[in-house]
Amino acid sequence: MSFMNKIFDQNKRYLRSFKKIVDEVNALEDEVKKFSDSDFSVKTEEFRHRLENGESLDDIMPEAFAIVREASKRMIGLRPFDVQIMGAVALHRGMVAEMKTGEGKTLVAVMPAYLNALEGKGVHIITVNDYLARRDSEWMRPIYELLGLTVGAIQSEMNPEKRREIYNCDVTYGTNNEMGFDYLRDNLAYLPEQRVQRGHHYAIVDEVDSVLIDEARTPLIISGPAGTSSKLYKMFASYAKKLRPDVDFKIDEKTKNVTLTEEGIRRTEKLIGVNNLYDPQNVEYNFHMINALRALHLYKRDVDYLVRGDEVLIVDEFTGRVLEGRRYSEGLHQAIEAKEGVKIKEETITYATITLQNYFLMYKKLAGMTGTAYTEREEFDQIYNMKVVVIPTNRPVIRNDMNDLIFRTEKEKFDAIVEDIVERHKKGQPVLVGTISIEKSEKLSQMLKKRGIPHEVLNAKHPEREAEIIANAGQKGAVTIATNMAGRGTDIKPGEGVVELGGLYVLGTERHEARRIDNQLRGRTGRQGDPGETRFYLSTEDNLLRIFGGDKMRSLMNTLRVKDGEPIEHSMLSKLIEQAQKKVEGIHFSIRKHLLELDSVLDRQRNAVYSHRNWILNGTDVEDHLMEIFEDVVDRRIERYCRDKYIENWDFGGLESELKSIFPFLSVDGNKVEDLQSLKSKIMEEIKENYEKKVNEIGVDQFPNIIKYVMLRVIDERWKTHLQTVDHLKESVNLRAYGQKDPVIEFKRESYEMFEEMVDGMYDDISAIAFRIVVVDEQREKERAKKEFAILQTQHDDFSMSSGKAEKKKSAASSKRKRMRVKR
């Protein structure tokens, strides 16, 4: 049996096991039809009691799915098909359900969400944008409410009180970014009431390949202001224009990087007025020049970002939407602002960060659904421990996917696109045109205006009209130009008479780097057995073909003597295009794998810090832990100064001097020491005695809250500095490959040492501050904590490193803490 047959046999086995459950659900249909409306919530309570009494979710799954099916039929007029129930079973089992576009994934998610919400720990349904979170939660709300569950959707503009209320619902809809940032903010809270989430029990990720694969290399970052002069950014934006491509610097479009040549280094030194650009004092100049060059040559307006008013706004390359409130890190955003001549905002430093891989791996159970997952099954299995199962469609797909048309130049391609649109518009067939950037969508719009073709443009500049434009895109005669915004989660229904015209025609103006994105665009038409047509128009000047094989195509076209303006269709060209896409997908996969290898190290450290921090925030016995910290500080000093086996060789002067810098009252009398234990006991007795004095001085009721705030503040400051140090280590460690050293092993070793040093410093700081506390206004300190918490902002990091296999997290909240540790 071939390898592919084995794989498809495995898929058939999954489907056979799902079919048995579908049969059980169908057998209950007549009985459930007799339910009165009030019976549904009564049944929900019955399920909860049965779970408390030892039954499992699998035991009640057929009954639960049966009542969801009936509730859906009554409340929104949709009865889930058998294939939708199969998809629901896959999601409940923590798998990725590949379901073609239009197969009703939104409704499928309600069944496992209801079943798992019965445990009372909350279910999160992840959507790709706020619009879909709001739409899906409101659309499905009547079903949940009939069943006796609460439902809500997290929106970007919500305040913390509203967020907390939504997270306390049985089912919460929201985007990966909103939920990830809420997790990070919760771990920066100084007061328990500032936190909004209540745990990570079960998540269903819609468009799971977009969230966990396409966006996996983007860490979520909470940042705060730093202090770099805006004059430097403006100065280097001007200098960057004076350097010559290929002479002064080299551009790598694949990795979005720039390197200075020897000539470029000399020219930069002359511009700045320094003798050596790589002198330690001048390092930041090199950093500024590289960023200015990247901003000028690699980040394009209306492609990577757009300018609205006095702001540079990042455009998501996968969805085409503006990433509100996000900024490129490490000075790149400021370099772009300087290039565009808008107001330069302060540079930021990282307070907290997590990759999407590690955020979602925190869930006890994770499931996903998408129309395009099968080609990524290995990555889902390796990184997320999620098997992919292909769910059959309810009706056969009859869409006609036509061959690509390839032109020599972009101008020829766009002229042909306009002619195609004009012809289709004449006969009334609706056309959806997919572009890969705002710039291209507006260029095509201008060309259509000249031809008098009425049309709509859907891109990140007009997100507020998205629902209206999408609702009309399938109507007779409609022409809609869209960026990737229309690629996912949008339901374009054919209007009256459109089916007879061949259905919606989807025209792609360029191939995306990932084949899955192209397939998502194709999937806008031919849904649920409707007819539809798709075609991609390409040119040898398109980015993908230009970087990965445009020269071969041009020479082939010359060999075939193709006339100007004429397209060609050839199997060899199709293979070249597919090879180019596979190359890019391979580059992205290796980046993601590398990031996970590195970030899994940081993730273990983050878990240690955050679990320790939460324990302090929730804890009532912080005082006992404080004594453990004092002991840790003392132990490290004794080990340093009293390691000789003979007492007379111990350095009591050095020990006292260093301990006094932390505990100012301390004295060490070497004459009264018998052994290590007696030395430590005497020191600890004096520390405890002075600690009790300090507690009484401040107030027995006040001191625990003040010291808790101090501990949290020290942890945050040290962690923030550690993150910056680790960022620099990530950048430098790759160069060690040239010295025949494995960058990942080097990173693990050095970051572990850095973590240990951070914890040492953390405990030293807490100990020193504890004995220097003076009486403060506790309410004023709380207000200050709230203000500091409020200034933190979310950030979209342009991060070019990625990771391998991550581990499930362990909750750490023991009543007694020892030193914060991570495994090597």
Side-chain angles (χ1 to χ4, degrees):
M1 185 184 290
S2 74
F3 177 66
M4 290 305 291
N5 284 338
K6 281 181 185 175
I7 291 171
F8 282 106
D9 264 22
Q10 187 182 42
N11 201 75
K12 285 175 185 173
R13 283 198 296 275
Y14 288 142
L15 295 179
R16 277 198 297 271
S17 69
F18 297 172
K19 181 70 169 64
K20 290 174 186 175
I21 295 162
V22 171
D23 291 342
E24 290 180 58
V25 174
N26 288 338
L28 293 164
E29 190 160 15
D30 289 339
E31 181 188 331
V32 174
K33 277 180 184 173
K34 298 170 188 171
F35 277 27
S36 67
D37 285 358
S38 61
D39 287 340
F40 288 90
S41 57
V42 172
K43 194 69 177 174
T44 294
E45 283 308 308
E46 180 200 310
F47 286 150
R48 284 176 172 148
H49 289 308
R50 285 165 60 182
L51 289 171
E52 285 169 11
N53 292 329
E55 286 193 58
S56 69
L57 291 178
D58 285 351
D59 293 335
I60 63 172
M61 176 167 47
E63 292 173 76
F65 286 5
I67 72 164
V68 174
R69 176 188 257 179
E70 181 60 27
S72 172
K73 192 172 152 190
R74 288 191 197 186
M75 302 310 293
I76 63 171
L78 295 173
R79 175 188 174 276
F81 300 119
D82 287 1
V83 290
Q84 287 176 297
I85 292 171
M86 285 183 174
V89 176
L91 295 180
H92 168 62
R93 290 186 175 171
M95 303 171 86
V96 174
E98 178 175 294
M99 301 182 72
K100 296 298 176 205
T101 308
E103 290 298 299
K105 293 189 284 291
T106 305
L107 181 56
V108 169
V110 176
M111 288 177 269
Y114 167 71
L115 176 62
N116 285 269
L118 294 171
E119 292 185 309
K121 297 173 184 174
V123 170
H124 294 169
I125 298 180
I126 316 298
T127 62
V128 291
N129 56 58
D130 275 359
Y131 161 72
L132 290 174
R134 187 173 62 249
R135 184 201 74 177
D136 292 357
S137 64
E138 289 306 316
W139 185 15
M140 299 295 123
R141 180 181 295 280
I143 303 173
Y144 290 118
E145 290 182 344
L146 181 66
L147 294 163
L149 297 190
T150 54
V151 63
I154 297 290
Q155 298 287 285
S156 56
E157 71 281 358
M158 280 181 178
N159 62 36
E161 290 72 26
K162 186 65 178 174
R163 285 172 184 270
R164 194 175 303 109
E165 178 191 325
I166 300 296
Y167 280 117
N168 282 326
C169 289
D170 294 302
V171 179
T172 303
Y173 287 77
T175 66
N176 53 62
N177 286 345
E178 289 301 324
M179 291 191 174
F181 282 126
D182 282 337
Y183 165 73
L184 291 177
R185 278 189 288 262
D186 279 359
N187 283 288
L188 289 167
Y190 286 108
L191 305 166
E193 60 267 27
Q194 287 176 333
R195 294 178 298 189
V196 297
Q197 290 188 340
R198 60 175 175 137
H200 301 86
H201 177 57
Y202 174 52
I204 299 169
V205 183
D206 190 16
E207 307 299 354
V208 67
D209 57 321
S210 171
V211 175
L212 297 187
I213 292 177
D214 294 334
E215 296 181 38
R217 37 191 289 222
T218 304
L220 305 176
I221 291 176
I222 298 276
S223 60
T228 305
S229 169
S230 61
K231 288 179 185 174
L232 270 179
Y233 292 107
K234 289 175 184 172
M235 184 171 81
F236 279 93
S238 165
Y239 290 162
K241 292 173 185 172
K242 297 176 180 178
L243 296 196
R244 300 153 296 177
D246 295 326
V247 178
D248 297 320
F249 60 92
K250 301 286 185 186
I251 295 172
D252 186 340
E253 291 186 76
K254 294 174 189 176
T255 60
K256 283 203 165 184
N257 274 326
V258 170
T259 51
L260 290 173
T261 62
E262 288 297 322
E263 180 69 25
I265 291 167
R266 283 194 293 274
R267 195 173 177 83
T268 302
E269 287 168 347
K270 192 174 177 183
L271 286 167
I272 301 166
V274 298
N275 293 325
N276 181 3
L277 185 61
Y278 291 93
D279 186 293
Q281 295 176 42
N282 302 327
V283 165
E284 70 169 330
Y285 293 147
N286 181 53
F287 155 83
H288 278 292
M289 182 55 90
I290 295 296
N291 262 350
L293 290 168
R294 289 176 72 205
L296 184 62
H297 296 283
L298 286 167
Y299 288 81
K300 306 293 185 188
R301 184 170 178 164
D302 290 340
V303 178
D304 299 294
Y305 64 90
L306 56 88
V307 177
R308 187 189 293 163
D310 210 23
E311 275 190 290
V312 169
L313 303 171
I314 299 172
V315 174
D316 190 315
E317 65 173 306
F318 297 106
T319 65
R321 285 181 168 78
V322 165
L323 293 167
E324 297 287 353
R326 308 291 160 70
R327 293 174 65 78
Y328 294 116
S329 71
E330 296 174 357
L332 178 60
H333 208 98
Q334 288 80 2
I336 295 171
E337 287 169 334
K339 163 191 160 184
E340 294 293 345
V342 301
K343 184 181 175 185
I344 298 170
K345 289 189 180 175
E346 284 184 324
E347 194 176 344
T348 56
I349 51 175
T350 298
Y351 282 78
T353 178
I354 191 170
T355 57
L356 288 174
Q357 285 115 323
N358 283 311
Y359 174 71
F360 282 108
L361 283 164
M362 288 192 301
Y363 284 88
K364 290 189 178 82
K365 183 161 71 174
L366 182 64
M369 49 190 185
T370 180
T372 47
Y374 193 68
T375 54
E376 314 298 335
R377 61 191 178 278
E378 189 179 342
E379 190 166 349
F380 280 120
D381 190 17
Q382 278 188 21
I383 294 176
Y384 301 101
N385 196 25
M386 298 161 77
K387 301 292 184 190
V388 175
V389 58
V390 181
I391 306 294
T393 55
N394 188 49
R395 293 178 185 168
V397 177
I398 59 169
R399 183 183 69 227
N400 179 20
D401 296 329
M402 294 178 281
N403 287 331
D404 296 350
L405 294 180
I406 300 141
F407 295 82
R408 184 179 277 104
T409 66
E410 185 175 84
K411 182 185 180 303
E412 291 174 14
K413 176 183 78 173
F414 273 99
D415 288 343
I417 287 170
V418 170
E419 290 305 322
D420 194 359
I421 293 169
V422 169
E423 287 304 310
R424 306 241 177 205
H425 182 67
K426 274 182 189 173
K427 70 173 188 175
Q429 185 178 15
V431 180
L432 173 68
V433 185
T435 63
I436 66 164
S437 68
I438 298 167
E439 178 188 40
K440 296 286 167 64
S441 67
E442 293 186 341
K443 176 181 178 178
L444 189 57
S445 175
Q446 290 300 321
M447 293 175 76
L448 289 177
K449 278 178 187 171
K450 286 179 184 174
R451 296 294 295 271
I453 302 296
H455 61 279
E456 291 281 8
V457 179
L458 175 61
N459 62 32
K461 288 189 175 179
H462 314 289
E464 68 285 347
R465 295 195 56 231
E466 178 175 346
E468 177 197 341
I469 293 171
I470 290 298
N472 295 322
Q475 300 304 309
K476 204 168 182 179
V479 175
T480 309
I481 302 171
T483 53
N484 292 332
M485 291 179 85
R488 287 186 181 269
T490 47
D491 195 2
I492 302 173
K493 292 172 181 168
E496 195 176 333
V498 167
V499 170
E500 291 76 16
L501 294 168
L504 175 69
Y505 174 52
V506 169
L507 188 158
T509 61
E510 200 165 324
R511 285 280 194 176
H512 196 274
E513 288 180 344
R515 289 166 293 171
R516 287 174 293 104
I517 309 296
D518 294 341
N519 292 337
Q520 285 283 347
L521 181 62
R522 288 191 196 276
R524 295 309 100 201
T525 185
R527 298 158 77 107
Q528 298 176 8
D530 287 334
E533 294 176 273
T534 70
R535 170 164 266 159
F536 279 86
Y537 280 70
L538 312 177
S539 84
T540 60
E541 293 176 351
D542 292 351
N543 278 346
L544 179 73
L545 303 189
R546 182 174 55 81
I547 298 171
F548 293 97
D551 293 338
K552 287 182 188 174
M553 291 211 174
R554 272 191 294 277
S555 63
L556 183 60
M557 292 179 95
N558 291 333
T559 303
L560 296 171
R561 296 182 181 175
V562 177
K563 293 179 183 174
D564 289 351
E566 277 189 17
I568 58 168
E569 299 174 56
H570 198 282
S571 60
M572 188 188 296
L573 293 178
S574 299
K575 281 176 185 173
L576 279 172
I577 293 162
E578 194 171 318
Q579 281 169 12
Q581 288 180 308
K582 281 181 179 176
K583 272 185 191 174
V584 180
E585 287 167 1
I587 289 168
H588 289 171
F589 177 67
S590 64
I591 289 170
R592 285 192 297 272
K593 191 175 176 187
H594 186 51
L595 174 59
L596 194 52
E597 285 174 345
L598 295 181
D599 195 64
S600 61
V601 179
L602 187 61
D603 190 55
R604 286 193 288 275
Q605 297 175 4
R606 177 173 43 242
N607 289 336
V609 171
Y610 285 177
S611 62
H612 195 79
R613 198 183 186 286
N614 280 321
W615 177 84
I616 291 169
L617 199 57
N618 297 329
T620 53
D621 54 350
V622 172
E623 203 166 307
D624 290 342
H625 179 48
L626 198 56
M627 287 302 152
E628 292 167 356
I629 289 175
F630 297 158
E631 198 173 331
D632 184 281
V633 172
V634 171
D635 283 344
R636 280 185 282 114
R637 268 62 186 194
I638 289 176
E639 190 180 334
R640 186 182 306 161
Y641 292 101
C642 308
R643 59 174 60 195
D644 198 278
K645 63 180 180 178
Y646 299 109
I647 293 178
E648 56 267 26
N649 292 333
W650 291 358
D651 183 0
F652 291 110
L655 177 63
E656 181 178 298
S657 174
E658 192 160 335
L659 283 174
K660 258 188 179 301
S661 68
I662 297 170
F663 308 107
F665 49 81
L666 205 59
S667 61
V668 178
D669 186 354
N671 296 321
K672 296 179 181 178
V673 173
E674 297 168 7
D675 54 25
L676 279 177
Q677 190 54 49
S678 67
L679 172 62
K680 180 179 171 182
S681 296
K682 284 187 169 106
I683 293 171
M684 288 308 297
E685 277 170 26
E686 197 172 344
I687 289 173
K688 284 173 187 173
E689 189 181 314
N690 280 272
Y691 174 74
E692 284 166 12
K693 285 180 188 174
K694 179 56 72 176
V695 172
N696 290 327
E697 177 195 327
I698 301 297
V700 175
D701 294 330
Q702 254 193 314
F703 191 82
N705 289 329
I706 294 169
I707 197 65
K708 191 184 281 191
Y709 174 77
V710 166
M711 292 165 86
L712 293 173
R713 188 63 191 262
V714 169
I715 288 171
D716 290 347
E717 287 300 316
R718 285 283 180 174
W719 178 241
K720 179 175 70 178
T721 307
H722 179 68
L723 288 175
Q724 287 177 283
T725 312
V726 168
D727 263 353
H728 294 314
L729 177 62
K730 276 180 180 171
E731 288 169 17
S732 65
V733 82
N734 285 322
L735 298 174
R736 299 187 197 177
Y738 295 112
Q740 307 303 310
K741 291 181 179 179
D742 184 329
V744 174
I745 291 172
E746 290 288 296
F747 179 75
K748 285 179 180 178
R749 181 180 59 79
E750 289 198 28
S751 65
Y752 175 80
E753 289 168 3
M754 287 174 178
F755 183 80
E756 287 296 300
E757 287 170 13
M758 178 198 74
V759 177
D760 288 347
M762 204 180 275
Y763 285 2
D764 290 351
D765 289 352
I766 290 168
S767 300
I769 295 169
F771 290 97
R772 291 168 173 82
I773 291 172
V774 294
V775 178
V776 295
D777 183 335
E778 191 178 345
Q779 189 56 41
R780 190 187 69 202
E781 287 303 307
K782 282 190 174 183
E783 290 304 315
R784 190 163 73 127
K786 285 179 181 176
K787 282 179 185 173
E788 287 180 357
F789 185 70
I791 65 166
L792 299 174
Q793 66 182 37
T794 54
Q795 190 172 20
H796 174 92
D797 191 18
D798 178 47
F799 194 61
S800 59
M801 303 175 72
S802 280
S803 29
K805 192 156 183 172
E807 301 167 6
K808 289 281 180 184
K809 317 295 177 297
K810 293 176 183 175
S811 64
S814 59
S815 61
K816 189 83 168 167
R817 304 294 297 195
K818 283 293 179 187
R819 181 179 165 88
M820 195 189 303
R821 293 199 184 280
V822 291
K823 290 180 181 176
R824 280 185 183 269

